Amino acid sequence: MTAYLANLATLVAIFGILAATLNFVVGFAGIFSVAHAVFFGLGAYAGAQVALQFFPDALLACLVAAVVAGGLSLCLALPALRVRGEYFVAASLGLQMMATTLFSEAKAFTGGIGGLVAIPRPTVAGIEVGVLPLALVALALILFLTARLQRGAFGRTLQSIRDAESAAEALGKNVAAAKTLAVAFACAGAGIGGALFALHLSFVNVESFTMDQSVLVMAMVIIGGTGTLWGPLIGAVLLLSLPSGLAFLPFIPATEVGAVQQIVYGLAMTLLMIFRPAGLVGDLSKGRATA
């Protein structure tokens, strides 16, 4: 039971990183991306390759993952500079679909459909460590940086772009630079989450980086509250704990847990949009965060 709870806590911390970084572009910059799993996957494969080809140093794996995912964030930033709203959602959807195919076919880097197996356990300074403390430190660091950026000039620029991009540009804000930096920060954070995910499971394949995963992370952000600091983390806790809770209900067959889970997800999203459109942590009067 202890190992099960530790595994669940590790996944919550990793997906908390994903939700917090996605919220940075969705909630603070107004860039609605459904391709976050792409950069999660890039980080996972990059971190896994570092561990397999060189040595399983967790800090090095996370650094390489952040550089790879953050560097390739231009694949998302360039469409964000040219289109907005529903057009950008369509562009990010195309990126997600293309990346899923590339992950399946780029066998030298990803292992193809079979994925990468036997990834060594992570170490720090040559000492084997668990992924949970590493994930908690990474999550705390990302939340700290998010809070600092949100309250600074950069955060105010992003919020002005989110609320009225044309007006922000007319007032002299460098919209292109702000969007690019926001996307790079979010994608680099997703890459770190991916590296930790690979080191935790010792196995990764394309099934973990599909559209379903992007939608799940988006649901965490929406349910918790977009534009909030703690909302995405609360959403991650709820959506990852839900399958565990359903599995312990004796009247739900084990083979039906997945279907019931999807029904509950959909019902929760519908009820939230009706009664709590700003999310669990959002301010109903403004639709924005109070935390």
Side-chain angles (χ1 to χ4, degrees):
M1 188 65 176
T2 301
Y4 175 79
L5 292 176
N7 175 67
L8 180 60
T10 304
L11 292 177
V12 166
I14 291 172
F15 277 85
I17 292 171
L18 286 179
T21 52
L22 178 61
N23 179 60
F24 192 81
V25 291
V26 172
F28 298 140
I31 303 172
F32 285 85
S33 168
V34 289
H36 212 50
V38 173
F39 302 95
F40 181 48
L42 287 171
Y45 287 124
Q49 289 289 3
V50 168
L52 288 168
Q53 303 298 331
F54 302 99
F55 46 90
D57 185 87
L59 300 181
L60 178 62
C62 288
L63 176 61
V64 172
V67 170
V68 170
L72 291 176
S73 66
L74 283 177
C75 297
L76 185 63
L78 289 177
L81 297 178
R82 299 185 62 86
V83 297
R84 65 185 74 170
E86 63 272 21
Y87 300 103
F88 177 74
V89 173
S92 64
L93 175 61
L95 175 62
Q96 173 67 64
M97 296 172 66
M98 180 180 66
T100 301
T101 302
L102 290 176
F103 288 161
S104 300
E105 299 300 326
K107 298 180 181 179
F109 179 66
T110 67
I113 297 295
L116 301 175
V117 300
I119 301 170
R121 302 299 300 168
T123 62
V124 174
I127 301 173
E128 186 173 315
V129 296
V131 174
L132 178 57
L134 298 174
L136 290 174
V137 170
L139 175 60
L141 179 60
I142 287 173
L143 290 176
F144 172 76
L145 291 175
T146 298
R148 292 296 299 270
L149 291 171
Q150 177 191 4
R151 295 185 175 94
F154 181 61
R156 291 192 292 272
T157 298
L158 290 181
Q159 290 171 35
S160 67
I161 293 172
R162 175 197 65 197
D163 295 335
E165 183 175 329
S166 298
E169 194 168 13
L171 290 172
K173 302 294 185 182
N174 192 333
V175 173
K179 280 187 170 183
T180 301
L181 289 173
V183 169
F185 174 77
C187 292
I192 292 173
L196 294 172
F197 182 75
L199 293 173
H200 173 60
L201 294 184
S202 298
F203 164 78
V204 287
N205 75 345
V206 68
E207 295 298 324
S208 298
F209 315 119
T210 61
M211 183 66 188
D212 289 346
Q213 202 77 286
S214 287
V215 171
L216 174 61
V217 179
M218 180 65 78
M220 293 173 181
V221 175
I222 294 173
I223 288 174
T226 58
T228 69
L229 182 63
W230 299 106
L233 182 58
I234 292 172
V237 171
L238 289 176
L239 291 188
L240 289 180
S241 300
L242 177 63
S244 305
L246 293 176
F248 286 105
L249 295 179
F251 53 86
I252 299 179
T255 56
E256 302 298 327
V257 169
V260 174
Q261 175 184 335
Q262 294 301 318
I263 293 172
V264 173
Y265 282 169
L267 182 62
M269 294 282 284
T270 303
L271 293 176
L272 274 171
M273 291 304 99
I274 296 172
F275 298 107
R276 295 285 305 185
L280 295 175
V281 183
D283 183 351
L284 278 177
S285 63
K286 299 179 181 179
R288 297 296 176 195
T290 57

